[in-house]
Amino acid sequence: MAKVEAQLAAETASLLVVDDEPAVLQVTQKLLERRGYRVTACHTAEEALAWLEREAFDVVVSDVQMPGMGGLGLLRAVRELEAELPVILVTGNPSPETESTAIEQGAFEYLTKPVSFALLDEVVSAAADSSRRGRRVLLTPRPL
């Protein structure tokens, strides 16, 4: 039954995946698409925010260390928009401070690279389920 539920979550979930490393982004996108997720991939947090302003997603999966805003900046921006959107952060350079900040700012999960696809799939499925129980959010800036 759990496999059926995970497959249903995958078939209906729309993911935004962010990573500045093209090979990592491509592999992650392909693996998640094979599981049935609808995946939009981008290379920067700024590009991800632009996508979030025009399209609704169920889950964001983002690298932490990227040029510009980075994954923590993306998480802060999502939370400032008061979105209840699950954000999964992934890092190749973990630190207790970064993990603590991520959790304090409401990250759904903080994962350390290399992440097995089984673990990523499990966490994404749980996040998608959490998102479906809530509501899909289209991020729009609040009026001043």
Side-chain angles (χ1 to χ4, degrees), residues 97-132:
E97 296 82 21
T98 304
E99 182 174 12
S100 175
T101 300
I103 292 168
E104 287 171 6
Q105 293 180 6
F108 185 84
E109 188 68 67
Y110 179 87
L111 303 173
T112 302
K113 292 178 183 179
V115 178
S116 73
F117 182 67
L119 175 59
L120 180 62
D121 185 36
E122 178 183 321
V123 171
V124 167
S125 178
D129 184 51
S130 170
S131 185
R132 276 201 332 270

Side-chain angles (χ1 to χ4, degrees), residues 19-115:
D19 199 305
D20 62 322
E21 294 182 39
V24 171
L25 184 62
Q26 183 179 20
V27 167
T28 303
Q29 179 179 10
K30 296 249 185 258
L31 289 171
L32 290 169
E33 286 175 341
R34 285 184 188 153
R35 283 286 291 128
Y37 297 104
R38 291 182 311 275
V39 179
T40 299
C42 55
H43 299 279
T44 67
E46 293 83 2
E47 186 182 352
L49 281 175
W51 272 105
L52 288 165
E53 289 175 355
R54 66 180 180 261
E55 193 168 314
F57 291 92
D58 296 300
V59 179
V60 175
V61 179
S62 178
D63 188 17
V64 171
Q65 293 182 320
M66 298 181 288
M69 182 184 296
L72 285 174
L74 175 60
L75 176 60
R76 273 191 296 277
V78 169
R79 293 299 170 249
E80 285 173 8
L81 294 168
E82 297 187 278
E84 295 298 322
L85 181 63
V87 177
I88 299 165
L89 294 176
V90 184
T91 185
N93 190 16
S95 76
E97 296 82 21
T98 304
E99 182 174 12
S100 175
T101 300
I103 292 168
E104 287 171 6
Q105 293 180 6
F108 185 84
E109 188 68 67
Y110 179 87
L111 303 173
T112 302
K113 292 178 183 179
V115 178

Side-chain angles (χ1 to χ4, degrees), residues 2-31:
K3 283 186 178 183
V4 171
E5 289 173 359
Q7 186 61 35
L8 288 175
E11 289 173 357
T12 60
S14 179
L15 311 180
L16 179 61
V17 179
V18 191
D19 199 305
D20 62 322
E21 294 182 39
V24 171
L25 184 62
Q26 183 179 20
V27 167
T28 303
Q29 179 179 10
K30 296 249 185 258
L31 289 171

